Structure formats: structure tokens, C-alpha cells
Amino acid sequence: MERRLKTSTKVYLTLGLIALSILLLYVASKTLDTYAIRILRLIAVFGVMAVSYTFINGITGLFSLGHAGFVAIGAYTSALLTMSPMQKEMSYILEPLIWPLNVIQTDFFTATLAAGVMAALFAFLIGYPSLRLTGDYLAIATLGFSEIIRIMALNMQSVTNGALGLKGLPEYSNIWWTWGWLFITVVVITSLTYSSFGRALKAIRDDAIAAEAMGINVFKHQLMAFVISGFFAGVGGSLYAHLLTTIDPRPTTIGVMLTFYLLIMIVLGGLGSITGAIIGAALFAILSEWLRFVEGTMHIGKWTIHGIPGMRMVIFSLLFIITMLVWRRGIMGMEELTWDKLYNWILRLRPRRKEG
Amino acid sequence: MSREELMLEVEDLHVYYGAIHALKGISLKVPKGAIITLIGANGAGKTTTLTTIAGLVKARSGRIKFMGEDITNKPPHTVTQMGIAMVPEGRRIFPNLTVYENLMMGAYTRKDREGIQEDLEWVFQLFPRLKERLTQLGGTLSGGEQQMLAISRALMSRPKLLMMDEPSLGLAPLLVMEVFDVIKKINGEGTTILLVEQNAMGALKTAHYGYVLETGKIVLEGPTDELLQNEEVKKAYLGVA
């Protein structure tokens, strides 16, 4: 029998966990080296992107492949807002940056908010026509739109600096900003998911026609979910830009490859699970760093293997395939990690210990 | 039934699926408080009639009036908000939502918390089994339980008109009888019902008035006790000569 904890107990546990997380992050920021901290920050940035991505792909059930497009919009928007006018003048060597972007400079928080709003606006513009499609067709349309965004970034020399990209961004995305935004993203997306709005989204995912017969305006709900998801993708883009300190319109940074990385994270974690998205993001960030050794020269016994660049992604793909064979629905499935589940899990462990 | 207050009136409804003329001028009347049934073979247009009323399929011509208001080709969410609920064919419950969440989806357009709570209690009275399964996922229920859930979900919107598409489909004989009993019970509480069935015997015994559909047209109509005696109906739908 499932046992439930009292709501007040759960509130205390949650507050305790938040306090503990802050403490752990503080300790980490003081004791870990910059490399480890960078991975920690990357986990949070990927987390923001993955959680917003699973909101549209897992919870609303829309197969979108355009997430990187919104990340790109966010990255460029905030980068153009945080760079100093002097830096901009130095970077734009082919064509000068258009007014008023060349004189504006804001703080990081404003820039990130603007990045989110701008990405949400684009999500609306792209979602409005393409959400009339479903399934694979929607995937193709959104993939196309995200590629259009990237090509625009490549060619709008006087706005994005084209192929030269933007360099020397201030490294604002420290541990507190990244994990703070991850916290906000999770709180907002979770409360939406467990509201009646979120229930409607899940109903649409399960059976759109039945949902429509329940009185749900399917298109409006999907569009809203798409815009909300776009907002946090933009926020993620802003954090990403100020973590890398440089952005350029290559497919691997803000193009289709990023969408596929995010897809790996959310499918690996469990499509439709917010916990799963974070686990997936953490695994991806850690593994893609840790697996770097396979690209270096290795000595096994008396053999020496020269590293093959790109080998990391091969192993990554293999790991991904194996995981999907073992856990069909990803690590978490559609489940979330809740206090009640942990409590029941601990209760189930106890009697076994007595027997032993 | 002529003098009674009409809840739903369908006039000369034509529906096409591409080039296929699915409904060729259907007209029917549903008086307030009645159980009306549409019977007919596969492909006769029974389901199309319901989905067109619900707004899920667009009518090419004709008129649908609900409580005196024209609802022809209104979007489904508007139709639902006006008080028409549907139990779709094949149940179509939400498999990854819990039983409770499924029921709440039925009440999605409502804002009155107390009324929702009342209806929840009423639904549990109709189907005590659902109360035991409240936190279970809809997809893990048995076929019969899913049908109960689909009916309950539709009732949660407190509809004026409940449209049911083959509620007895794929159920064990005992459950089929239970479903028809429940339909009478729901009607007894004041809900008007439009029932589509292949199980002609069950439907005609439950409803007050019936229409017989054949390839998109109404070929026969009348009070159900008359239809039960009709030689044509007996031969074609009841399996008795």
C-alpha cells in the first residue's frame, strides 16, 4: 500500500533540500577546481534547456526538433545586450552593428529575461503556422525553422556578425546564475505541469481528439506550451552564451546538433519526466567531458592507440542505444522523483534488512 | 414527442469525407429528457452523425440546433462548453493520466468546485469501482472499467445532452446489461441521451425513440416499442425472423 507523507513534512523536506543544495553549491564553488565547476555550470545550463524541451516534447507530446533555434535566439539576444559598445565596435569588423544595438548595454538578468521574451516571441511566430501539423511533419517543419534561424544568424552580418560570431562575452554564467535559473525553470515548469493546464496538455498528448471533445482548445494549449518552452530555451541560450563566452552559427553550437543532444538528454532521462530531463542533462554533461579520454592517445599493454577525433560521440551513441534497449522508456519513464516515492522506497527497504 | 421541448434538432445534414458522401441529409430530433437511439450497420453514418454534432467533423450543409441555438460547425470546445458531452467510440480515455485526472479532464470547462465535488460523488455512486482505482493510470484499467471511466468523464462536465457512441462495444454480456442500466439511471437524473449502438436490441429496449440509419440516410424512425415489433428491423438488426 502506498503511504503518503503529510504536506507539511514535504514542505520542510523541500526547504531542507533547497538549503542543502545551496550549501553544497557553496562548498563546491569554494573547493572544486575551475574545470569541475565548469561542468557543474554546464549541467545546470543543459538542465534549463532539457526541462523546457521535455515540456514540449514529453509533456505536451509535440515532436519538435526546433529547440536549438530558440536557444540561438536567446543566445544572440542576450549577448548583444551584455557586450559593451566598445567591444561591439571591435568585433564587427566587416559591417558595423546596426543602431540601437550598438549603444545598448544591460545587466545580465535583464539580458536573460529579454532573451527569454525574444525566444518566446519567435516560438509564437513559428508555432502559429506549424502547430497545425502533427507528428513527423511538425518535426520536419520545426527542424526547418530552427535551421532558418541559424542561416539568418550566419547571414545577417550587421546584427549577428555572421560567421565571425560574437566573442569575448563576459563570463556571467556562474554557479549561482545557472543553478538559480535551473531552479526557477523547474519550479515554473513543474507547477504548470501539475496544474489543470498541465493536465490538459497531458490529455492532449494521450489523445488529442478526446481532449478536444472534453472542451479543451487544443491549438491554443499547444501554442501556449510552445511559447513557454521557447521562453526557457531562450533563457538557456543566454546562460549558454555567457558560459561559452562565445557564440557562432555553427550547427554544433546552436544548430541542429544541439537539438539532438537535448533530445538524447530527455529521451535518456525519460520522455515526459522533469526529473529525468535533469538526470539526462547531468549525465550528458558529465559523460561528454569524461569520454574525452577516448579521443586522446591510449596505451593498453604494449599497444598504443592514437585517438580518433569524434570517437566520443560514437561511444555516446552506443551507450545511448544500450540504455534504450535496457530501459525502454528512459531512466525515469514518465515518473517523477517525489518525497512520497522516496519514503515508500525506504519503507520497502526496511523489512528486508530485518529478515537478513 | 412532437409537443415536447426540443434539446437538439438536426436538419438535412450532409457530411463528406473527401469524395465520400457519408451523411446524405440526416434529420433528427432529440426532445429534452429522452433517450434517443441511432441504430444501423457498420458504415451507416452513426458515428459521423455524433462527431458532426460534437464539431469534430465539419458539415457541408444542413443545420444543427442545440437549445434553440445554431451550433453547426462550431469548434468542439465551444460545443462542449454549451453542454454537450460525448463518450467516444472505443472509450478513448487518457491512458497516462490517473483515473482522478481523467475525471477532472471531463470537468475541464467548469469552474464550480463544489459542483464538481458533488458530481464526483455521484459518479462514484454509479461506479463504486472507480473510487477504488482513483490513483491508478487509466491505461491499466480493464475494458469494462475504461468504459465506466469514459462515461463518468463525460458526466463530469454535467452535460445537458450526453452522446454515447457504442458504449457496449467489446464488453462482456453481463457488463453490457450493466451499461444499459446505467444509461437509464443517468437519464433518470435528468440528462438527455443520444445513444448510438450496434447492439440494436439493447438500445431499443433502453431508448424511448429510435432512428434506423442505412448508408447515410434515415430509413425508419419511431417509438422503440414499435421498432421492436417492426418486421424489417427484426430481420435486419435483431436477428429474429
Side-chain angles (χ1 to χ4, degrees):
Chain A
M1 186 61 206
E2 281 271 304
R3 284 222 246 160
R4 279 167 185 279
L5 290 164
K6 271 189 287 179
T7 315
S8 58
T9 318
K10 283 189 247 184
V11 171
Y12 288 132
L13 280 170
T14 309
L15 289 175
L17 183 72
I18 293 169
L20 184 69
S21 310
I22 293 173
L23 186 72
L24 281 178
L25 285 175
Y26 178 76
V27 172
S29 69
K30 289 291 169 204
T31 56
L32 293 177
D33 56 61
T34 47
Y35 178 62
I37 288 175
R38 191 186 158 84
I39 296 175
L40 217 51
R41 286 148 64 203
L42 194 63
I43 290 174
V45 175
F46 279 158
V48 171
M49 293 182 198
V51 168
S52 60
Y53 196 34
T54 209
F55 186 62
I56 198 74
N57 272 35
I59 289 154
T60 317
L62 291 168
F63 189 23
S64 158
L65 287 179
H67 216 58
F70 305 132
V71 171
I73 298 277
Y76 273 105
T77 306
S78 77
L80 285 170
L81 289 177
T82 56
M83 283 170 83
S84 67
M86 209 177 76
Q87 234 180 333
K88 288 175 190 168
E89 216 181 299
M90 272 158 48
S91 300
Y92 285 71
I93 44 175
L94 291 177
E95 269 178 59
L97 181 60
I98 52 162
W99 189 88
L101 288 172
N102 58 353
V103 288
I104 291 180
Q105 190 182 12
T106 67
D107 61 296
F108 185 47
F109 184 71
T110 315
T112 305
L113 273 186
V117 170
M118 199 66 173
L121 185 75
F122 268 81
F124 179 82
L125 292 176
I126 291 170
Y128 198 81
S130 51
L131 285 176
R132 283 156 215 281
L133 305 169
T134 50
D136 307 345
Y137 302 101
L138 176 70
I140 293 165
T142 46
L143 182 69
F145 273 119
S146 82
E147 198 57 6
I148 289 172
I149 289 173
R150 194 181 69 79
I151 301 294
M152 271 167 57
L154 188 62
N155 289 296
M156 288 169 72
Q157 194 69 42
S158 58
V159 181
T160 62
N161 206 18
L164 295 173
L166 300 173
K167 290 179 189 70
L169 307 180
E171 202 172 346
Y172 283 133
S173 297
N174 59 18
I175 244 177
W176 303 110
W177 277 121
T178 51
W179 282 84
W181 272 109
L182 178 62
F183 178 74
I184 293 170
T185 310
V186 169
V187 167
V188 172
I189 298 287
T190 311
S191 4
L192 281 173
T193 305
Y194 289 93
S195 69
S196 70
F197 174 71
R199 213 148 52 200
L201 295 181
K202 285 185 269 184
I204 294 170
R205 171 191 68 193
D206 276 8
D207 192 329
I209 292 174
E212 201 162 24
M214 296 297 111
I216 301 168
N217 188 336
V218 171
F219 176 70
K220 211 171 108 189
H221 276 74
Q222 288 179 332
L223 188 61
M224 263 169 83
F226 203 64
V227 168
I228 292 163
S229 167
F231 176 85
F232 285 105
V235 168
S238 168
L239 296 171
Y240 199 41
H242 293 87
L243 174 78
L244 301 175
T245 69
T246 160
I247 39 166
D248 53 65
R250 268 181 309 176
T252 40
T253 33
I254 53 155
V256 60
M257 282 314 289
L258 179 62
T259 298
F260 291 140
Y261 293 158
L262 291 172
L263 199 61
I264 289 178
M265 294 174 209
I266 63 171
V267 174
L268 196 67
L271 203 54
S273 164
I274 295 164
T275 321
I278 298 169
I279 293 175
L283 277 178
F284 191 90
I286 293 166
L287 279 179
S288 60
E289 283 304 319
W290 180 69
L291 282 173
R292 271 184 203 283
F293 77 88
V294 300
E295 291 181 6
T297 315
M298 277 183 294
H299 302 280
I300 300 171
K302 54 182 176 177
W303 290 289
T304 302
I305 304 167
H306 294 289
I308 306 161
M311 198 58 198
R312 212 158 38 117
M313 285 331 284
V314 175
I315 293 184
F316 219 108
S317 314
L318 276 175
L319 278 177
F320 181 60
I321 291 167
I322 293 167
T323 322
M324 292 321 288
L325 285 174
V326 180
W327 288 300
R328 281 283 161 86
R329 304 175 65 206
I331 294 167
M332 293 297 292
M334 275 189 192
E335 303 285 322
E336 300 291 350
L337 194 63
T338 60
W339 291 119
D340 283 330
K341 277 194 195 111
L342 268 180
Y343 180 56
N344 281 292
W345 186 67
I346 293 166
L347 282 182
R348 251 177 280 137
L349 282 183
R350 270 211 329 235
R352 241 185 265 159
R353 213 178 289 155
K354 268 180 206 162
E355 282 161 17
Chain B
M1 63 175 260
S2 53
R3 300 270 174 274
E4 285 165 283
E5 200 185 328
L6 280 183
M7 176 150 283
L8 182 82
E9 199 178 356
V10 176
E11 259 175 59
D12 196 30
L13 197 64
H14 287 265
V15 175
Y16 290 77
Y17 292 117
I20 300 160
H21 198 170
L23 294 188
K24 302 164 186 165
I26 298 273
S27 298
L28 56 88
K29 291 188 173 80
V30 180
K32 203 171 176 179
I35 306 179
I36 304 296
T37 185
L38 295 178
I39 58 172
N42 284 328
K46 308 184 299 289
T47 299
T48 307
T49 309
L50 289 200
T51 46
T52 312
I53 295 169
L56 293 163
V57 174
K58 296 272 168 270
R60 175 112 19 128
S61 66
R63 227 154 49 109
I64 305 166
K65 264 168 83 177
F66 177 65
M67 316 262 299
E69 235 181 289
D70 192 350
I71 59 161
T72 323
N73 292 343
K74 284 251 169 73
H77 53 93
T78 316
V79 174
T80 309
Q81 278 161 21
M82 288 176 75
I84 300 181
M86 183 157 82
V87 182
E89 187 178 8
R91 310 185 268 268
R92 304 192 86 139
I93 54 142
F94 304 116
N96 291 307
L97 297 189
T98 63
V99 168
Y100 176 76
E101 289 177 320
N102 264 282
L103 292 171
M104 282 302 125
M105 284 322 301
Y108 189 73
T109 53
R110 293 171 64 178
K111 297 280 170 277
D112 55 322
R113 275 162 189 266
E114 281 157 42
I116 292 173
Q117 204 53 44
E118 260 171 47
D119 287 356
L120 205 56
E121 291 304 321
W122 177 47
V123 159
F124 291 152
Q125 256 176 35
L126 282 177
F127 304 109
R129 195 96 61 85
L130 290 183
K131 197 171 183 176
E132 298 163 22
R133 303 249 187 276
L134 218 49
T135 56
Q136 217 170 304
L137 290 186
T140 64
L141 298 182
S142 74
E145 289 165 345
Q146 288 190 8
Q147 187 64 60
M148 294 173 192
L149 179 57
I151 296 171
S152 308
R153 186 181 63 179
L155 287 175
M156 286 306 292
S157 68
R158 197 180 278 187
K160 297 186 182 85
L161 173 67
L162 179 65
M163 302 198 293
M164 302 174 102
D165 196 353
E166 312 242 11
S168 75
L169 190 78
L171 297 184
L174 217 64
L175 269 174
V176 172
M177 278 168 59
E178 203 184 314
V179 164
F180 283 121
D181 279 344
V182 164
I183 293 172
K184 278 187 196 159
K185 230 190 248 176
I186 295 167
N187 179 248
E189 301 269 340
T191 309
T192 310
I193 291 171
L194 178 57
L195 173 67
V196 154
E197 261 299 342
Q198 289 220 36
N199 183 341
M201 181 68 95
L204 289 176
K205 279 187 174 162
T206 310
H208 306 117
Y209 196 88
Y211 293 85
V212 181
L213 256 74
E214 248 170 52
T215 57
K217 271 187 212 143
I218 287 171
V219 290
L220 200 63
E221 65 175 284
T224 44
D225 39 359
E226 277 173 33
L227 289 178
L228 276 167
Q229 299 307 317
N230 185 295
E231 288 305 317
E232 295 281 309
V233 174
K234 271 189 186 175
K235 226 172 27 194
Y237 301 106
L238 302 179
V240 282

